[in-house]
Amino acid sequence: MASEKKISPAVIRRLPRYYRYLSDLLRMDITRISSKELSARMGITASQIRQDLNCFGGFGQQGYGYNVEYLYNEIGKIIGVNNGYTIIIIGAGNMGQALANYTNFEKRGFKLIGIFDINPKIIGKKIRNIEIMHFDTIDEFVKNNKVDIAVIAVPHDQTPEIADKVARLGIKGIWNFSPMDLKLPYDVIIENVHLSDGLMVLGYKLNEARKKSAKNKQE
Amino acid sequence: MASEKKISPAVIRRLPRYYRYLSDLLRMDITRISSKELSARMGITASQIRQDLNCFGGFGQQGYGYNVEYLYNEIGKIIGVNNGYTIIIIGAGNMGQALANYTNFEKRGFKLIGIFDINPKIIGKKIRNIEIMHFDTIDEFVKNNKVDIAVIAVPHDQTPEIADKVARLGIKGIWNFSPMDLKLPYDVIIENVHLSDGLMVLGYKLNEARKKSAKNKQE
DNA sequence: TAGATTGTTAATCGATTAACAATC
DNA sequence: TAGATTGTTAATCGATTAACAATC
């Protein structure tokens, strides 16, 4: 009964990165790669790559390295890119529309099947051939369509209510773009995106660099 | 000569989160908070909060806790929200326009002062009173305006070239939204945002949850 | 076979948590 | 003063790196 070893969050967060690099290698027609070569490209240690991959199984071959396509497909399976995940976007404001137009998600196997809003001015409008529907019709839509992930891109005061609704409809994944940490008393998986956090980290680093150069000048 | 202890990346990445929570407390007119109370709100340990804050100085008072406004302002200083950072956005496609409309940045002290694109159809158009300018005029613009951060939101094949240009113009911070890890041979601070990475992590977790529930059913 | 490179164990490093004396 | 809570040191835990035997 193979008690599956728990994969650490650090490893999980690196999976998409491996997937991206392997996708690039594939596009460059590189068929094999050693952990050493990959480590040089990615800027992490070869040891870490081997350690990470071995959490999921032995994908390589001694003396040879890794077959790029095979490894790419295996990581794809781990992430679930072939699970046919479906997405709906709630909130067709700037961020919602930007995400709706972001074709990269489709490349990763996530299919956008619906967009919802409450603004009558934009309901009926189409983005990449997907109609913006009224949020009131979401119950019916979810009843008739398998929906795996709801992307929440509404003003942050509306977020908790909408997230609650979405969870009660049985949607299992929420990707939250509101600048707040969403928590729900349901069995739902939530990924919070905090865009301005990244900007503030950048601010901090610029601040540090500035201080450092000021100090150097003084000396 | 106080050899400043190096702050760990883990702590730095948490700073914006503290700042957000303190901002919320301030809005709720809560004037003081203990590490214990804050830990309950944030879902991290009180010990970690005290440890983190003490990297930068003793902001609290024994027996009392932390003054919310004071702590908020101190963290603001650390992040540099009062440095008057200025931002330009390069690429006024969906993502660029969404970011331009994202007023949250202004709230955090980052001021958008210019938007650039090469599409003649949208040049001259205004977003929140800021005109979209032709990318060819960026040299002049940067000469006449202090620009701290360039947000790059162009198709990914154009990203390296534009990033290079931006760095040579002397802009010190790059916030990159292209799905690629940007590296430059200059003294520039880069924050790469990989939106679809977050989506893939969500995919992985849904995959795990699905497997688990399938196993439970079997038993 | 000899060379290369993995898979894996052991060592190190860093980050988190616990504990408590200092002090408001 | 007594109670509360910080600042800080020590202990633990987790993640990364190093090393090397296994093997292609």
Side-chain angles (χ1 to χ4, degrees):
Chain A
M1 41 164 231
S3 74
E4 323 222 328
K5 57 217 165 286
K6 178 92 177 131
I7 310 294
S8 88
V11 175
I12 294 167
R13 301 245 152 229
R14 275 194 294 271
L15 284 174
R17 197 143 175 270
Y18 287 123
Y19 196 67
R20 252 191 292 122
Y21 274 86
L22 288 164
S23 154
D24 290 347
L25 290 170
L26 217 50
R27 228 190 354 250
M28 289 185 265
D29 289 316
I30 293 170
T31 56
R32 65 178 264 204
I33 193 150
S34 68
S35 58
K36 199 179 157 200
E37 288 172 282
L38 188 56
S39 96
R41 283 179 187 277
M42 294 183 68
I44 58 179
T45 64
S47 206
Q48 181 164 70
I49 292 170
R50 296 203 299 279
Q51 194 77 280
D52 282 356
L53 297 179
N54 266 81
C55 294
F56 303 99
F59 299 134
Q61 201 171 65
Q62 279 101 330
Y64 173 86
Y66 300 87
N67 177 289
V68 174
E69 193 176 357
Y70 173 70
L71 187 56
Y72 175 76
N73 288 330
E74 287 301 312
I75 294 181
K77 280 186 217 164
I78 294 162
I79 296 175
V81 293
N82 301 314
N83 288 6
Y85 285 129
T86 53
I87 298 186
I88 59 171
I89 292 175
I90 302 174
N94 295 294
M95 187 52 71
Q97 295 205 24
L99 292 170
N101 279 297
Y102 203 49
T103 51
N104 241 328
F105 303 149
E106 238 96 76
K107 275 188 210 142
R108 303 286 189 245
F110 295 82
K111 194 176 179 203
L112 179 65
I113 60 167
I115 304 169
F116 295 88
D117 205 292
I118 50 165
N119 180 355
K121 277 188 202 147
I122 56 171
I123 287 165
K125 191 184 151 187
K126 281 187 173 187
I127 300 178
R128 289 204 298 124
N129 222 29
I130 292 155
E131 202 177 320
I132 301 176
M133 294 166 272
H134 197 287
F135 186 65
D136 288 348
T137 67
I138 196 171
D139 295 68
E140 210 194 326
F141 185 86
V142 174
K143 216 178 286 168
N144 298 326
N145 298 275
K146 179 183 85 99
V147 178
D148 295 304
I149 296 168
V151 181
I152 300 187
V154 301
H156 85 282
D157 54 324
Q158 295 164 38
T159 298
E161 197 189 336
I162 285 176
D164 194 82
K165 169 88 177 174
V166 156
R168 279 189 285 108
L169 285 172
I171 295 173
K172 287 283 171 255
I174 291 179
W175 201 25
N176 171 40
F177 278 79
S178 290
M180 62 179 307
D181 292 324
L182 193 56
K183 269 165 216 160
L184 288 174
Y186 304 97
D187 185 23
V188 180
I189 291 160
I190 299 170
E191 276 279 311
N192 293 301
V193 180
H194 294 296
L195 286 179
S196 48
D197 281 17
L199 190 55
M200 286 192 274
V201 169
L202 194 54
Y204 170 85
K205 289 180 182 173
L206 285 173
N207 212 0
E208 286 304 294
R210 191 181 284 190
K211 275 194 239 163
K212 213 168 110 188
S213 84
K215 215 175 83 182
N216 285 349
K217 251 182 206 162
Q218 241 181 4
E219 278 164 20
Chain B
M1 43 164 231
S3 75
E4 325 223 327
K5 56 216 165 287
K6 178 92 176 129
I7 311 292
S8 89
V11 175
I12 294 167
R13 302 242 153 231
R14 274 193 295 271
L15 284 174
R17 201 144 171 270
Y18 288 122
Y19 196 68
R20 253 191 291 124
Y21 274 86
L22 288 164
S23 155
D24 290 347
L25 291 170
L26 216 50
R27 228 189 353 249
M28 290 184 265
D29 289 317
I30 294 171
T31 55
R32 66 179 262 204
I33 193 152
S34 69
S35 59
K36 200 180 156 199
E37 289 172 282
L38 189 56
S39 96
R41 283 180 187 276
M42 294 183 66
I44 59 178
T45 66
S47 204
Q48 182 164 70
I49 292 171
R50 295 204 299 280
Q51 194 78 279
D52 283 356
L53 297 179
N54 267 81
C55 294
F56 303 99
F59 300 134
Q61 201 170 66
Q62 280 100 330
Y64 172 88
Y66 299 87
N67 177 289
V68 174
E69 192 174 359
Y70 174 69
L71 187 56
Y72 175 76
N73 288 330
E74 286 302 312
I75 295 182
K77 279 186 216 162
I78 294 162
I79 297 174
V81 293
N82 302 314
N83 288 6
Y85 285 129
T86 53
I87 300 187
I88 58 171
I89 293 175
I90 303 173
N94 295 293
M95 186 54 68
Q97 295 205 23
L99 292 169
N101 278 295
Y102 204 49
T103 51
N104 240 328
F105 303 148
E106 238 95 78
K107 276 188 211 142
R108 305 283 190 247
F110 295 83
K111 194 176 179 206
L112 179 65
I113 59 168
I115 306 169
F116 295 88
D117 204 292
I118 49 166
N119 180 356
K121 278 188 202 149
I122 56 171
I123 286 164
K125 191 185 151 187
K126 281 189 173 186
I127 300 179
R128 291 205 293 126
N129 223 28
I130 291 155
E131 201 177 320
I132 301 176
M133 295 166 272
H134 197 286
F135 186 66
D136 288 348
T137 66
I138 195 171
D139 296 67
E140 210 194 325
F141 185 88
V142 173
K143 216 178 287 167
N144 297 327
N145 299 275
K146 177 184 87 97
V147 178
D148 295 304
I149 296 168
V151 181
I152 301 187
V154 301
H156 84 282
D157 53 324
Q158 296 166 37
T159 297
E161 197 190 336
I162 285 176
D164 194 82
K165 170 88 176 174
V166 156
R168 277 188 286 108
L169 285 172
I171 296 173
K172 287 285 172 254
I174 291 180
W175 201 26
N176 171 39
F177 278 79
S178 291
M180 62 178 308
D181 293 325
L182 194 56
K183 269 165 215 159
L184 288 174
Y186 304 95
D187 186 21
V188 180
I189 292 160
I190 300 170
E191 276 280 310
N192 293 300
V193 180
H194 293 296
L195 286 179
S196 48
D197 281 17
L199 190 55
M200 286 193 274
V201 169
L202 194 54
Y204 171 84
K205 289 180 181 173
L206 285 173
N207 214 1
E208 286 303 295
R210 191 181 282 191
K211 275 195 241 163
K212 214 168 108 187
S213 81
K215 216 175 82 181
N216 286 348
K217 253 184 205 162
Q218 242 182 3
E219 278 163 21

